[in-house]
Amino acid sequence: MKNIAIFASGAGSNAKKIIDHLRNSDTIKVKVILCNKPGAGVLDIAAAESIPTLLIDKEMFFRSDDYVSILQEMEIDLVVLAGFLWKVPANLVAAFPDKIINIHPALLPKFGGKGMYGHFVHEAVIAAGESETGITIHYVNDKYDDGRVILQERCNVDPTDTPAIVAKKVHALEHRWYPVIVERLLS
Ligand code: GAR
């Protein structure tokens, strides 16, 4: 059995798609969901699915090896960031080389970096007059949105699109591709 840890800060729609996709898997299990935001929607999803959760302690996350030990003890094979908005500390990256992946709601290296998340990304895409955007699934290193690209998928941005419309198109791509890539990386 391969074990996944999902890190999420928000609504958790990507986490939910991954859980659904792997529900009947004999080989891959969503073992734990780590969240840094009390009250985040992803915690309700985890509760409904009876998946254990850990609320991340900021001090411990950035200043100790405690989360490295926790994930190692849980025998985690892949850490999946799904709307996780903190930078992953270097000790965690070093302990899980090429075993931490992220999804970003744009075509990196465009529209990435600190502060570029959720609707801010889509607003910036429209303000820049882009005619296309998309998703990037990539390995995580200790810089924001910087690691090796695993997959990019594109969608059109029409001149009349609002950030909400772009978000909807991008989410559809995320939901279609992230679960498949997670499965592929562990097969
Ligand atoms: C997703 O669109 C993901 O790409 C984005 O947060 C959203 C989370 O949605 N991540 C980033 O912007 C990372 N820089 P979800 O909680 O519904 O899965």
Side-chain angles (χ1 to χ4, degrees):
M1 187 63 92
K2 305 270 189 180
N3 295 317
I4 295 176
I6 297 178
F7 284 40
S9 308
S13 71
N14 279 285
K16 175 80 169 79
K17 290 288 173 185
I18 293 167
I19 294 163
D20 286 345
H21 185 74
L22 298 174
R23 188 177 306 282
N24 298 319
S25 173
D26 297 328
T27 52
I28 306 172
K29 180 178 176 180
V30 180
K31 190 140 191 200
V32 63
I33 294 183
L34 287 90
C35 177
N36 62 316
K37 213 167 153 200
V42 71
L43 294 170
D44 297 332
I45 291 171
E49 300 283 347
S50 307
I51 295 172
T53 53
L54 283 175
L55 202 52
I56 300 175
D57 179 280
K58 192 168 189 177
E59 188 72 15
M60 223 167 104
F61 190 62
F62 288 108
R63 295 189 192 281
S64 80
D65 288 324
D66 292 3
Y67 286 98
V68 172
S69 311
I70 289 169
L71 295 171
Q72 284 171 341
E73 273 159 29
M74 288 185 158
E75 302 186 319
I76 296 301
D77 298 288
L78 189 69
V79 173
V80 177
L81 310 187
F84 185 67
L85 302 183
W86 286 352
K87 197 159 111 171
V88 177
N91 60 341
L92 208 53
V93 175
F96 290 88
D98 285 351
K99 286 182 178 167
I100 309 179
I101 62 171
N102 181 42
I103 191 160
H104 187 77
L107 298 169
L108 291 174
K110 284 181 171 181
F111 307 107
K114 194 170 160 64
M116 273 296 182
Y117 61 87
H119 65 97
F120 294 113
V121 177
H122 309 309
E123 283 161 12
V125 164
I126 288 174
E130 297 287 319
S131 60
E132 63 171 16
T133 186
I135 61 166
T136 305
I137 297 172
H138 64 96
Y139 290 105
V140 169
N141 61 21
D142 59 3
K143 298 192 198 99
Y144 272 111
D145 301 327
D146 187 64
R148 214 162 71 249
V149 170
I150 299 166
L151 175 91
Q152 290 192 309
E153 289 291 326
R154 288 155 200 278
C155 58
N156 289 332
V157 179
D158 298 323
T160 54
D161 280 359
T162 60
I165 291 173
V166 175
K168 210 169 164 188
K169 292 178 182 176
V170 167
H171 257 118
L173 285 178
E174 294 186 325
H175 295 164
R176 169 160 176 219
W177 287 104
Y178 210 14
V180 175
I181 293 296
V182 165
E183 187 177 28
R184 197 179 292 167
L185 289 174
L186 288 170
S187 300

